[in-house]
Amino acid sequence: MQPTADDVLRAFRGDELRLFIAAASITIGLVAVAFSLIRQRFDRLLSFFAWFSALYGAQLWMQSSMHSLMAHPSPLLDKVQMALEFFVSIPAFQFFGVSGLVGRTGRVIVYLVCLVEMCLIGAIFLGLPLQLLDHLNSVCIIAGSVSLVILAFREPVVEKGSAVFRAGLLVFVGFVLWTNGALLLGHRTSIELYGFAVFLCCIGYVAAKRALERDLRLSSIQKELDVARRIQLSILPTAFPVSEHFTVAARYLPMTSVAGDFYEFIYTESGTVGLLIADVSGHGVPAALIASMVKVAIQSQRHHAANPDRLIAGVNEVLCGNTQNQFVTAAYAYLDPDCGELCYAAAGHPPMLLLREGQISQVEENGLVLALSSSAIYTSTKRPLLKGDRLLLYTDGVVEAANADEEEFGHERLSSLLRTSENMTAEEAADLILNTVRGWSSAQADDLTVLVCDYKRNP
Protein backbone atom coordinates (compact mmCIF):
# COMPACT_ATOMS: atom_id res chain seq x y z
CA MET A 1 0.00 0.00 0.00
CA GLN A 2 1.41 3.36 -1.05
CA PRO A 3 1.61 6.03 1.68
CA THR A 4 -0.72 8.98 1.23
CA ALA A 5 0.26 12.63 1.32
CA ASP A 6 -1.22 12.88 4.79
CA ASP A 7 0.94 9.95 5.95
CA VAL A 8 4.08 11.61 4.58
CA LEU A 9 3.20 14.98 6.12
CA ARG A 10 2.40 13.38 9.47
CA ALA A 11 5.69 11.44 9.43
CA PHE A 12 7.64 14.56 8.47
CA ARG A 13 6.12 16.63 11.25
CA GLY A 14 6.82 13.91 13.77
CA ASP A 15 10.46 13.67 12.68
CA GLU A 16 11.27 17.30 11.86
CA LEU A 17 14.05 17.62 14.43
CA ARG A 18 15.48 14.17 13.67
CA LEU A 19 15.56 14.89 9.93
CA PHE A 20 17.11 18.31 10.50
CA ILE A 21 19.87 16.85 12.70
CA ALA A 22 20.40 14.04 10.19
CA ALA A 23 20.75 16.50 7.29
CA ALA A 24 23.05 18.77 9.31
CA SER A 25 25.18 15.83 10.39
CA ILE A 26 25.59 14.47 6.85
CA THR A 27 26.36 17.96 5.52
CA ILE A 28 28.98 18.60 8.20
CA GLY A 29 30.57 15.23 7.45
CA LEU A 30 30.74 15.96 3.71
CA VAL A 31 32.14 19.45 4.34
CA ALA A 32 34.83 17.95 6.59
CA VAL A 33 35.75 15.46 3.84
CA ALA A 34 35.89 18.27 1.26
CA PHE A 35 38.06 20.35 3.59
CA SER A 36 40.51 17.45 3.98
CA LEU A 37 40.72 17.07 0.20
CA ILE A 38 41.29 20.81 -0.29
CA ARG A 39 44.08 20.81 2.30
CA GLN A 40 45.67 17.83 0.51
CA ARG A 41 46.84 16.57 3.88
CA PHE A 42 45.40 13.61 5.78
CA ASP A 43 44.18 14.54 9.26
CA ARG A 44 43.06 11.50 11.27
CA LEU A 45 40.97 13.52 13.72
CA LEU A 46 39.12 15.36 10.97
CA SER A 47 38.73 12.17 8.91
CA PHE A 48 37.20 10.14 11.74
CA PHE A 49 34.91 13.02 12.66
CA ALA A 50 33.75 13.32 9.04
CA TRP A 51 32.89 9.61 8.81
CA PHE A 52 31.26 9.60 12.23
CA SER A 53 29.13 12.64 11.45
CA ALA A 54 28.03 11.43 7.99
CA LEU A 55 27.26 7.87 9.15
CA TYR A 56 25.41 9.09 12.23
CA GLY A 57 23.25 11.29 10.02
CA ALA A 58 22.53 8.30 7.76
CA GLN A 59 21.61 6.26 10.84
CA LEU A 60 19.18 8.94 12.01
CA TRP A 61 17.59 8.95 8.56
CA MET A 62 17.14 5.17 8.57
CA GLN A 63 15.54 5.38 12.02
CA SER A 64 13.02 8.02 10.90
CA SER A 65 9.36 7.46 10.10
CA MET A 66 9.94 8.95 6.66
CA HIS A 67 12.37 6.15 5.85
CA SER A 68 9.93 3.54 7.18
CA LEU A 69 7.25 4.89 4.83
CA MET A 70 9.54 4.85 1.79
CA ALA A 71 11.34 1.52 2.36
CA HIS A 72 9.76 -1.88 2.05
CA PRO A 73 10.26 -3.90 5.26
CA SER A 74 12.53 -6.92 4.87
CA PRO A 75 14.86 -9.00 7.08
CA LEU A 76 17.85 -7.88 5.00
CA LEU A 77 17.00 -4.21 5.52
CA ASP A 78 16.76 -4.81 9.27
CA LYS A 79 20.22 -6.39 9.21
CA VAL A 80 21.71 -3.55 7.17
CA GLN A 81 20.19 -0.96 9.51
CA MET A 82 21.58 -2.71 12.58
CA ALA A 83 24.98 -3.14 10.92
CA LEU A 84 25.05 0.61 10.24
CA GLU A 85 24.17 1.35 13.88
CA PHE A 86 27.05 -0.87 15.01
CA PHE A 87 29.47 0.51 12.40
CA VAL A 88 28.85 4.14 13.43
CA SER A 89 30.56 3.34 16.72
CA ILE A 90 33.88 2.59 14.99
CA PRO A 91 34.70 6.11 13.65
CA ALA A 92 33.12 7.56 16.83
CA PHE A 93 35.54 5.69 19.10
CA GLN A 94 38.44 6.27 16.71
CA PHE A 95 37.70 10.00 16.87
CA PHE A 96 37.81 9.73 20.66
CA GLY A 97 41.10 7.82 20.45
CA VAL A 98 42.96 10.37 18.31
CA SER A 99 41.55 13.44 20.11
CA GLY A 100 44.53 13.43 22.48
CA LEU A 101 42.34 13.12 25.57
CA VAL A 102 42.70 9.44 26.49
CA GLY A 103 46.38 8.48 26.09
CA ARG A 104 47.76 5.05 25.23
CA THR A 105 45.40 3.14 27.50
CA GLY A 106 42.43 4.84 25.85
CA ARG A 107 43.69 3.90 22.38
CA VAL A 108 43.90 0.24 23.44
CA ILE A 109 40.29 0.43 24.64
CA VAL A 110 39.30 2.03 21.32
CA TYR A 111 40.89 -0.80 19.34
CA LEU A 112 39.15 -3.42 21.50
CA VAL A 113 35.75 -1.75 21.07
CA CYS A 114 36.24 -1.49 17.31
CA LEU A 115 37.24 -5.17 17.14
CA VAL A 116 34.13 -6.20 19.09
CA GLU A 117 31.93 -4.04 16.86
CA MET A 118 33.37 -5.65 13.72
CA CYS A 119 32.70 -9.08 15.18
CA LEU A 120 29.11 -8.11 16.02
CA ILE A 121 28.60 -6.81 12.45
CA GLY A 122 29.86 -10.13 11.11
CA ALA A 123 27.54 -12.01 13.49
CA ILE A 124 24.54 -10.09 12.11
CA PHE A 125 24.97 -11.62 8.67
CA LEU A 126 25.84 -15.03 10.10
CA GLY A 127 22.28 -15.29 11.43
CA LEU A 128 22.71 -14.79 15.19
CA PRO A 129 19.65 -13.36 17.00
CA LEU A 130 19.47 -9.62 16.38
CA GLN A 131 18.10 -8.84 19.83
CA LEU A 132 21.05 -10.59 21.49
CA LEU A 133 23.53 -8.74 19.28
CA ASP A 134 21.77 -5.44 20.01
CA HIS A 135 22.19 -6.03 23.76
CA LEU A 136 25.84 -7.03 23.34
CA ASN A 137 26.43 -3.85 21.34
CA SER A 138 24.88 -1.79 24.13
CA VAL A 139 27.13 -3.43 26.74
CA CYS A 140 30.19 -2.77 24.55
CA ILE A 141 29.23 0.88 23.99
CA ILE A 142 28.54 1.48 27.69
CA ALA A 143 31.78 -0.15 28.86
CA GLY A 144 33.91 1.62 26.25
CA SER A 145 32.28 5.03 26.77
CA VAL A 146 32.55 4.97 30.56
CA SER A 147 36.21 3.91 30.41
CA LEU A 148 37.15 6.62 27.90
CA VAL A 149 35.27 9.37 29.74
CA ILE A 150 37.11 8.50 32.97
CA LEU A 151 40.45 8.63 31.14
CA ALA A 152 39.56 11.88 29.34
CA PHE A 153 38.67 13.76 32.50
CA ARG A 154 41.82 12.77 34.36
CA GLU A 155 43.81 15.43 32.49
CA PRO A 156 43.48 19.10 33.55
CA VAL A 157 41.76 21.56 31.22
CA VAL A 158 44.31 23.95 29.68
CA GLU A 159 42.06 26.14 27.53
CA LYS A 160 38.43 27.13 27.22
CA GLY A 161 38.06 25.35 23.87
CA SER A 162 39.07 22.04 25.46
CA ALA A 163 36.57 22.58 28.27
CA VAL A 164 33.74 23.17 25.78
CA PHE A 165 34.77 20.14 23.74
CA ARG A 166 34.84 17.92 26.83
CA ALA A 167 31.50 19.27 28.01
CA GLY A 168 29.88 18.50 24.65
CA LEU A 169 31.47 15.07 24.61
CA LEU A 170 30.27 14.37 28.14
CA VAL A 171 26.70 15.37 27.24
CA PHE A 172 26.72 13.14 24.16
CA VAL A 173 28.21 10.17 26.02
CA GLY A 174 25.63 10.68 28.77
CA PHE A 175 22.81 10.43 26.24
CA VAL A 176 24.47 7.40 24.63
CA LEU A 177 24.69 5.68 28.01
CA TRP A 178 21.06 6.52 28.73
CA THR A 179 19.90 5.15 25.36
CA ASN A 180 21.90 1.94 25.58
CA GLY A 181 21.07 1.41 29.26
CA ALA A 182 17.36 1.77 28.51
CA LEU A 183 17.74 -0.69 25.64
CA LEU A 184 19.18 -3.30 28.01
CA LEU A 185 16.15 -2.78 30.26
CA GLY A 186 13.81 -3.34 27.35
CA HIS A 187 12.96 0.28 26.56
CA ARG A 188 13.82 2.06 23.29
CA THR A 189 14.40 5.82 23.48
CA SER A 190 15.30 8.36 20.82
CA ILE A 191 16.96 11.04 22.92
CA GLU A 192 20.53 10.22 21.86
CA LEU A 193 20.23 12.54 18.87
CA TYR A 194 19.79 15.54 21.19
CA GLY A 195 23.13 14.77 22.80
CA PHE A 196 24.68 14.48 19.36
CA ALA A 197 23.21 17.88 18.40
CA VAL A 198 24.79 19.40 21.54
CA PHE A 199 28.10 17.73 20.68
CA LEU A 200 28.00 19.14 17.13
CA CYS A 201 27.30 22.62 18.50
CA CYS A 202 30.26 22.36 20.88
CA ILE A 203 32.56 21.23 18.08
CA GLY A 204 31.27 24.09 15.93
CA TYR A 205 32.02 26.55 18.74
CA VAL A 206 35.55 25.20 19.19
CA ALA A 207 36.18 25.25 15.42
CA ALA A 208 34.85 28.82 15.10
CA LYS A 209 36.89 29.97 18.11
CA ARG A 210 40.09 28.45 16.75
CA ALA A 211 39.42 29.88 13.29
CA LEU A 212 38.95 33.33 14.83
CA GLU A 213 42.13 32.99 16.88
CA ARG A 214 44.00 31.84 13.78
CA ASP A 215 42.69 34.82 11.81
CA LEU A 216 43.77 37.17 14.59
CA ARG A 217 47.23 35.61 14.65
CA LEU A 218 47.49 35.86 10.86
CA SER A 219 46.34 39.47 11.00
CA SER A 220 48.96 40.24 13.64
CA ILE A 221 51.65 38.51 11.59
CA GLN A 222 50.57 40.41 8.48
CA LYS A 223 50.82 43.71 10.36
CA GLU A 224 54.31 42.79 11.52
CA LEU A 225 55.26 41.85 7.95
CA ASP A 226 53.93 45.18 6.70
CA VAL A 227 56.13 46.97 9.24
CA ALA A 228 59.07 44.78 8.22
CA ARG A 229 58.39 45.60 4.56
CA ARG A 230 58.42 49.33 5.26
CA ILE A 231 61.64 48.97 7.25
CA GLN A 232 63.26 46.96 4.46
CA LEU A 233 62.20 49.47 1.82
CA SER A 234 63.69 52.20 3.97
CA ILE A 235 67.17 50.65 3.71
CA LEU A 236 67.00 50.70 -0.10
CA PRO A 237 67.99 53.88 -1.93
CA THR A 238 64.91 55.98 -2.65
CA ALA A 239 66.36 57.31 -5.89
CA PHE A 240 69.67 57.67 -7.65
CA PRO A 241 71.29 61.05 -6.92
CA VAL A 242 71.28 63.62 -9.69
CA SER A 243 74.42 62.96 -11.70
CA GLU A 244 76.15 64.76 -14.53
CA HIS A 245 77.25 61.50 -16.11
CA PHE A 246 74.84 58.69 -15.17
CA THR A 247 71.14 57.87 -14.96
CA VAL A 248 70.10 54.84 -12.93
CA ALA A 249 66.65 53.22 -12.73
CA ALA A 250 65.93 50.58 -10.09
CA ARG A 251 63.00 48.18 -9.93
CA TYR A 252 62.41 45.94 -6.92
CA LEU A 253 59.54 43.43 -6.71
CA PRO A 254 59.64 41.01 -3.74
CA MET A 255 57.88 37.66 -3.98
CA THR A 256 56.51 38.02 -0.44
CA SER A 257 56.09 40.95 1.93
CA VAL A 258 59.81 40.99 2.61
CA ALA A 259 62.61 39.65 0.46
CA GLY A 260 66.27 38.79 0.16
CA ASP A 261 67.13 41.01 -2.81
CA PHE A 262 69.09 44.18 -2.13
CA TYR A 263 70.75 46.97 -4.06
CA GLU A 264 72.84 50.00 -3.15
CA PHE A 265 74.35 53.10 -4.81
CA ILE A 266 77.71 54.48 -3.78
CA TYR A 267 78.00 57.97 -5.22
CA THR A 268 80.96 60.31 -4.71
CA GLU A 269 81.29 64.03 -5.22
CA SER A 270 83.91 63.43 -7.92
CA GLY A 271 81.22 61.82 -10.08
CA THR A 272 82.21 58.17 -9.72
CA VAL A 273 79.43 55.68 -9.07
CA GLY A 274 79.30 52.27 -7.44
CA LEU A 275 76.34 49.99 -8.19
CA LEU A 276 75.81 46.92 -6.04
CA ILE A 277 73.14 44.26 -6.29
CA ALA A 278 72.78 41.23 -3.99
CA ASP A 279 70.54 38.21 -3.63
CA VAL A 280 70.22 36.22 -0.40
CA SER A 281 69.34 32.54 -0.75
CA GLY A 282 65.81 31.69 0.32
CA HIS A 283 62.84 33.99 0.76
CA GLY A 284 60.83 35.79 3.38
CA VAL A 285 61.89 37.06 6.78
CA PRO A 286 65.20 35.12 7.15
CA ALA A 287 66.42 36.36 3.77
CA ALA A 288 65.28 39.90 4.57
CA LEU A 289 67.22 39.91 7.85
CA ILE A 290 70.38 38.84 6.06
CA ALA A 291 69.77 41.49 3.38
CA SER A 292 69.83 44.05 6.21
CA MET A 293 73.17 42.61 7.28
CA VAL A 294 74.43 43.04 3.72
CA LYS A 295 73.51 46.74 3.97
CA VAL A 296 75.58 47.10 7.15
CA ALA A 297 78.47 45.14 5.63
CA ILE A 298 78.55 47.38 2.54
CA GLN A 299 78.54 50.53 4.65
CA SER A 300 81.58 49.22 6.50
CA GLN A 301 83.40 48.72 3.19
CA ARG A 302 82.60 52.03 1.48
CA HIS A 303 86.25 53.05 1.64
CA HIS A 304 86.91 50.26 -0.89
CA ALA A 305 84.34 51.65 -3.32
CA ALA A 306 86.94 52.11 -6.08
CA ASN A 307 88.15 48.51 -5.72
CA PRO A 308 85.29 46.06 -6.39
CA ASP A 309 87.34 42.97 -5.52
CA ARG A 310 88.32 44.38 -2.13
CA LEU A 311 84.80 45.60 -1.42
CA ILE A 312 83.31 42.17 -2.21
CA ALA A 313 86.00 40.44 -0.12
CA GLY A 314 85.34 42.77 2.80
CA VAL A 315 81.60 42.15 2.68
CA ASN A 316 82.29 38.42 2.61
CA GLU A 317 84.43 38.63 5.74
CA VAL A 318 81.70 40.50 7.61
CA LEU A 319 79.01 38.01 6.61
CA CYS A 320 80.91 34.78 7.25
CA GLY A 321 79.61 32.99 10.32
CA ASN A 322 76.61 35.30 10.69
CA THR A 323 74.10 34.06 8.11
CA GLN A 324 72.95 30.73 9.61
CA ASN A 325 74.23 28.68 6.65
CA GLN A 326 72.53 30.89 4.06
CA PHE A 327 74.63 32.38 1.29
CA VAL A 328 74.56 35.59 -0.71
CA THR A 329 75.35 36.32 -4.35
CA ALA A 330 76.42 39.84 -5.25
CA ALA A 331 77.78 41.94 -8.09
CA TYR A 332 79.44 45.34 -7.87
CA ALA A 333 80.34 47.73 -10.69
CA TYR A 334 82.45 50.85 -10.19
CA LEU A 335 82.05 53.47 -12.91
CA ASP A 336 84.67 56.20 -13.37
CA PRO A 337 83.69 58.75 -16.05
CA ASP A 338 86.98 60.63 -15.79
CA CYS A 339 89.00 57.55 -16.71
CA GLY A 340 86.31 56.19 -19.02
CA GLU A 341 86.48 52.84 -17.25
CA LEU A 342 84.27 50.39 -15.41
CA CYS A 343 85.59 47.91 -12.89
CA TYR A 344 83.51 44.87 -11.98
CA ALA A 345 83.62 42.02 -9.48
CA ALA A 346 81.00 39.48 -8.41
CA ALA A 347 80.35 36.59 -6.04
CA GLY A 348 78.34 33.82 -7.72
CA HIS A 349 76.04 36.36 -9.39
CA PRO A 350 74.55 36.37 -12.92
CA PRO A 351 76.75 38.33 -15.37
CA MET A 352 76.18 42.03 -15.95
CA LEU A 353 74.94 42.90 -19.43
CA LEU A 354 76.45 45.76 -21.45
CA LEU A 355 74.54 47.31 -24.35
CA ARG A 356 76.82 49.27 -26.68
CA GLU A 357 75.81 50.44 -30.15
CA GLY A 358 73.13 47.77 -30.48
CA GLN A 359 75.40 44.92 -29.37
CA ILE A 360 75.10 42.97 -26.11
CA SER A 361 78.12 41.65 -24.23
CA GLN A 362 78.41 39.96 -20.87
CA VAL A 363 80.67 41.28 -18.14
CA GLU A 364 81.55 38.47 -15.76
CA GLU A 365 84.19 38.00 -13.07
CA ASN A 366 82.82 35.66 -10.44
CA GLY A 367 84.20 34.34 -7.20
CA LEU A 368 82.69 32.13 -4.51
CA VAL A 369 79.28 33.13 -3.16
CA LEU A 370 79.44 35.26 -0.03
CA ALA A 371 79.26 33.92 3.53
CA LEU A 372 80.68 30.47 2.76
CA SER A 373 84.40 30.98 3.34
CA SER A 374 86.21 33.92 4.91
CA SER A 375 89.33 33.03 2.91
CA ALA A 376 87.63 33.27 -0.48
CA ILE A 377 89.57 35.31 -3.05
CA TYR A 378 87.87 37.72 -5.43
CA THR A 379 89.20 39.41 -8.52
CA SER A 380 87.91 42.24 -10.68
CA THR A 381 87.86 42.96 -14.39
CA LYS A 382 88.12 46.32 -16.15
CA ARG A 383 86.38 47.43 -19.32
CA PRO A 384 86.34 50.72 -21.21
CA LEU A 385 83.27 52.83 -20.49
CA LEU A 386 81.87 54.77 -23.44
CA LYS A 387 79.19 57.43 -23.52
CA GLY A 388 75.87 55.89 -24.53
CA ASP A 389 76.63 52.57 -22.80
CA ARG A 390 73.76 50.91 -20.94
CA LEU A 391 74.48 48.50 -18.08
CA LEU A 392 72.03 45.97 -16.66
CA LEU A 393 72.39 44.35 -13.24
CA TYR A 394 69.71 41.89 -12.12
CA THR A 395 69.02 39.02 -9.75
CA ASP A 396 68.51 35.39 -10.83
CA GLY A 397 64.74 35.66 -10.34
CA VAL A 398 64.64 37.52 -13.67
CA VAL A 399 66.29 34.86 -15.85
CA GLU A 400 64.83 31.91 -13.90
CA ALA A 401 61.21 33.10 -14.14
CA ALA A 402 59.26 30.19 -15.66
CA ASN A 403 56.08 30.15 -17.72
CA ALA A 404 53.25 27.63 -17.54
CA ASP A 405 55.36 25.13 -19.53
CA GLU A 406 58.21 25.51 -16.97
CA GLU A 407 60.39 27.21 -19.59
CA GLU A 408 62.72 29.79 -18.06
CA PHE A 409 62.93 33.34 -19.36
CA GLY A 410 66.67 32.89 -19.80
CA HIS A 411 69.66 35.08 -20.66
CA GLU A 412 68.97 35.16 -24.38
CA ARG A 413 65.50 36.67 -23.97
CA LEU A 414 66.85 39.16 -21.44
CA SER A 415 69.65 40.19 -23.83
CA SER A 416 67.19 40.59 -26.68
CA LEU A 417 64.90 42.65 -24.45
CA LEU A 418 67.78 44.91 -23.44
CA ARG A 419 68.68 45.39 -27.09
CA THR A 420 65.06 46.34 -27.82
CA SER A 421 65.24 49.04 -25.15
CA GLU A 422 68.15 50.87 -26.81
CA ASN A 423 66.15 53.98 -27.67
CA MET A 424 64.24 54.07 -24.38
CA THR A 425 65.15 55.92 -21.20
CA ALA A 426 66.59 53.97 -18.29
CA GLU A 427 63.24 54.19 -16.49
CA GLU A 428 61.36 52.89 -19.52
CA ALA A 429 63.87 50.09 -20.03
CA ALA A 430 63.57 48.97 -16.39
CA ASP A 431 59.77 48.94 -16.63
CA LEU A 432 59.92 47.01 -19.91
CA ILE A 433 62.14 44.31 -18.43
CA LEU A 434 60.15 43.89 -15.23
CA ASN A 435 56.75 43.88 -16.93
CA THR A 436 57.89 41.44 -19.61
CA VAL A 437 59.28 39.01 -17.02
CA ARG A 438 56.08 39.25 -14.96
CA GLY A 439 54.02 38.60 -18.08
CA TRP A 440 56.20 35.61 -18.95
CA SER A 441 55.97 33.84 -15.60
CA SER A 442 52.80 32.01 -14.61
CA ALA A 443 53.46 32.87 -10.96
CA GLN A 444 56.24 34.83 -9.30
CA ALA A 445 58.55 32.28 -7.73
CA ASP A 446 61.42 34.56 -6.71
CA ASP A 447 62.23 38.16 -5.91
CA LEU A 448 62.86 40.38 -8.93
CA THR A 449 65.36 43.25 -8.92
CA VAL A 450 66.67 45.20 -11.91
CA LEU A 451 69.20 48.06 -12.14
CA VAL A 452 69.55 49.89 -15.46
CA CYS A 453 72.41 52.40 -15.70
CA ASP A 454 72.97 54.76 -18.64
CA TYR A 455 76.22 56.59 -19.25
CA LYS A 456 74.88 59.82 -20.67
CA ARG A 457 75.90 60.98 -24.10
CA ASN A 458 77.19 64.46 -24.60
CA PRO A 459 74.32 66.97 -24.89
Side-chain angles (χ1 to χ4, degrees):
M1 180 179 177
Q2 293 294 328
T4 64
D6 289 339
D7 293 335
V8 174
L9 185 60
R10 192 178 303 109
F12 178 76
R13 287 177 176 173
D15 275 344
E16 281 181 322
L17 183 58
R18 177 185 295 274
L19 294 174
F20 173 77
I21 296 175
S25 180
I26 293 173
T27 301
I28 291 172
L30 294 177
V31 169
V33 170
F35 184 68
S36 295
L37 294 176
I38 292 172
R39 293 178 68 195
Q40 296 183 342
R41 188 178 68 183
F42 179 72
D43 186 320
R44 296 180 66 196
L45 184 67
L46 185 62
S47 177
F48 286 133
F49 172 72
W51 284 108
F52 171 43
S53 181
L55 290 173
Y56 194 85
Q59 174 187 315
L60 290 178
W61 161 251
M62 295 188 72
Q63 292 173 347
S64 68
S65 301
M66 288 287 291
H67 178 265
S68 301
L69 284 175
M70 298 173 61
H72 297 288
S74 70
L76 179 60
L77 182 61
D78 292 339
K79 291 181 178 180
V80 170
Q81 184 170 342
M82 181 170 284
L84 177 61
E85 292 177 4
F86 291 2
F87 187 73
V88 169
S89 303
I90 295 177
F93 275 92
Q94 289 288 354
F95 172 77
F96 214 150
V98 298
S99 64
L101 299 175
V102 295
R104 181 178 299 178
T105 303
R107 289 194 293 272
V108 172
I109 294 172
V110 167
Y111 294 143
L112 290 175
V113 171
C114 291
L115 179 61
V116 172
E117 291 294 335
M118 292 300 294
C119 292
L120 292 175
I121 292 172
I124 292 173
F125 296 99
L126 291 176
L128 272 69
L130 297 185
Q131 185 176 7
L132 172 63
L133 297 177
D134 205 11
H135 287 170
L136 290 175
N137 175 68
S138 296
V139 171
C140 179
I141 296 299
I142 291 173
S145 299
V146 170
S147 302
L148 293 179
V149 166
I150 293 173
L151 290 173
F153 281 83
R154 288 192 311 175
E155 299 295 329
V157 177
V158 295
E159 58 173 326
K160 186 178 179 181
S162 296
V164 173
F165 176 77
R166 290 185 182 186
L169 194 59
L170 181 61
V171 169
F172 177 53
V173 170
F175 277 86
V176 169
L177 294 176
W178 180 279
T179 300
N180 285 274
L183 182 63
L184 290 176
L185 298 175
H187 303 286
R188 280 196 173 272
T189 64
S190 57
I191 63 171
E192 181 182 295
L193 62 95
Y194 302 112
F196 183 72
V198 172
F199 181 50
L200 279 183
C201 291
C202 291
I203 289 181
Y205 169 81
V206 173
K209 183 174 182 295
R210 290 184 177 179
L212 180 60
E213 291 174 348
R214 182 176 64 250
D215 289 344
L216 291 175
R217 286 196 299 269
L218 289 175
S219 177
S220 176
I221 291 172
Q222 186 59 50
K223 289 179 181 178
E224 292 176 0
L225 287 175
D226 289 341
V227 172
R229 176 181 174 81
R230 291 196 294 271
I231 293 173
Q232 185 177 34
L233 290 175
S234 71
I235 71 173
L236 297 175
T238 54
F240 185 73
V242 177
S243 169
E244 178 184 353
H245 305 287
F246 301 102
T247 300
V248 178
R251 296 294 181 270
Y252 168 79
L253 185 64
M255 185 184 77
T256 56
S257 296
V258 290
D261 282 7
F262 174 80
Y263 64 90
E264 178 68 292
F265 307 140
I266 301 177
Y267 184 79
T268 66
E269 294 181 357
S270 62
T272 61
V273 170
L275 303 175
L276 182 134
I277 191 168
D279 184 3
V280 181
S281 63
H283 308 289
V285 174
L289 290 174
I290 296 174
S292 300
M293 295 171 60
V294 174
K295 167 79 172 181
V296 175
I298 291 168
Q299 294 301 320
S300 71
Q301 302 298 316
R302 289 181 70 94
H303 56 286
H304 292 313
N307 300 287
D309 53 336
R310 295 183 64 183
L311 184 140
I312 292 291
V315 171
N316 179 61
E317 290 178 5
V318 173
L319 294 179
C320 277
N322 297 309
T323 60
Q324 297 298 313
N325 297 321
Q326 288 186 267
F327 61 85
V328 182
T329 70
Y332 176 69
Y334 178 74
L335 313 179
D336 189 339
D338 294 332
C339 299
E341 186 177 70
L342 72 84
C343 190
Y344 175 85
H349 203 80
M352 180 173 69
L353 297 183
L354 169 62
L355 172 61
R356 176 178 294 165
E357 297 179 351
Q359 300 298 315
I360 301 292
S361 60
Q362 292 187 351
V363 181
E364 188 169 14
E365 187 70 22
N366 260 323
L368 188 67
V369 295
L370 303 178
L372 285 188
S373 172
S374 58
S375 60
I377 298 175
Y378 300 92
T379 57
S380 58
T381 182
K382 293 183 178 181
R383 299 286 180 88
L385 184 63
L386 306 180
K387 291 185 181 295
D389 283 353
R390 170 166 288 173
L391 305 175
L392 175 62
L393 290 164
Y394 53 95
T395 53
D396 60 6
V398 174
V399 291
E400 293 177 0
N403 61 13
D405 297 326
E406 299 186 358
E407 181 183 2
E408 292 187 347
F409 191 75
H411 289 91
E412 290 186 9
R413 287 188 181 85
L414 182 60
S415 297
S416 176
L417 197 59
L418 182 61
R419 189 181 298 110
T420 303
S421 73
E422 184 175 15
N423 296 320
M424 299 179 182
T425 65
E427 296 286 340
E428 292 171 340
D431 285 334
L432 173 68
I433 293 170
L434 191 64
N435 291 334
T436 304
V437 172
R438 291 180 66 186
W440 170 268
S441 59
S442 56
Q444 186 177 346
D446 200 355
D447 309 319
L448 303 176
T449 303
V450 171
L451 296 182
V452 177
C453 176
D454 285 350
Y455 185 18
K456 297 179 182 178
R457 300 179 185 272
N458 291 323

